[in-house]
Amino acid sequence: MFRRRRFWILLFVLLAVFGIWRFRASGPKVAQGSYLHLRLEGSYVEQPTDILGKLFGEAPNTLIDVLEALQVASRDRRIAGAVVEVAPLDVGWAKAEDLRDALAAFKATGKPVYALLEQEASASNVEYFVASVASKVYLAPASTAPLIGLAAQV
């Protein structure tokens, strides 16, 4: 009798865990014609943290997560386009190019990309470079175009 009770308790726990997993795995509900809202700011690490870092700390923004989100949204028929808020970025030109290329691939599917340069900052060429692939780039009414130009000595 004790074995039988243990079996039913174990079966109930397994079914409950499976039910919770299926509920969480279903993902968010997305209405037809929705826009992907993407906020680009700060730094992006190349790879995710290990399992202990995820358990005991806040997971950092990873470049692969942003690139994957754009790729998935580009294939999703419910997503009509993207609105990208570009805040000050702490990335190099290579990561900026990866972000821009992902936005360009999203745009190549025929979906519009709208960029909002959130803050006028000095030396914000990287932010404008990422946003420049958008169908339209918006600035706050009181701000000026954040371009100071690039220079190189050869």
Side-chain angles (χ1 to χ4, degrees):
M1 174 130 163
F2 182 68
R3 281 184 165 174
R4 190 176 199 129
R5 181 184 294 173
R6 191 173 10 173
F7 169 77
W8 286 110
I9 291 173
L10 182 62
L11 182 65
F12 176 75
V13 169
L14 288 175
L15 287 174
V17 168
F18 178 75
I20 291 170
W21 174 76
R22 286 292 294 162
F23 177 73
R24 298 188 102 220
S26 66
K29 304 291 185 236
V30 178
Q32 187 72 26
S34 295
Y35 275 71
L36 172 68
H37 178 238
L38 187 62
R39 182 169 172 80
L40 301 176
E41 69 178 329
S43 62
Y44 292 90
V45 296
E46 294 285 332
Q47 60 187 4
T49 58
D50 60 353
I51 189 73
L52 290 177
K54 287 182 180 179
L55 289 176
F56 295 114
E58 187 175 319
N61 295 330
T62 62
L63 183 63
I64 195 73
D65 288 341
V66 175
L67 302 180
E68 184 180 1
L70 283 165
Q71 185 180 40
V72 168
S74 70
R75 293 188 310 255
D76 193 338
R77 293 185 181 149
R78 299 170 296 176
I79 302 294
V83 175
V84 182
E85 291 182 60
V86 184
L89 292 169
D90 187 21
V91 298
W93 287 99
K95 286 183 184 176
E97 186 174 13
D98 288 341
L99 291 169
R100 188 179 192 282
D101 289 346
L103 288 169
F106 181 89
K107 185 179 172 185
T109 63
K111 298 178 180 183
V113 176
Y114 301 107
L116 170 65
L117 286 175
E118 197 170 87
Q119 176 181 343
E120 183 180 351
S122 61
S124 57
N125 285 321
V126 171
E127 290 82 2
Y128 184 73
F129 174 70
V130 171
S132 67
V133 74
S135 306
K136 291 190 179 188
V137 178
Y138 294 94
L139 297 169
S143 65
T144 60
L147 302 174
I148 60 169
L150 298 174
Q153 288 184 337
V154 185

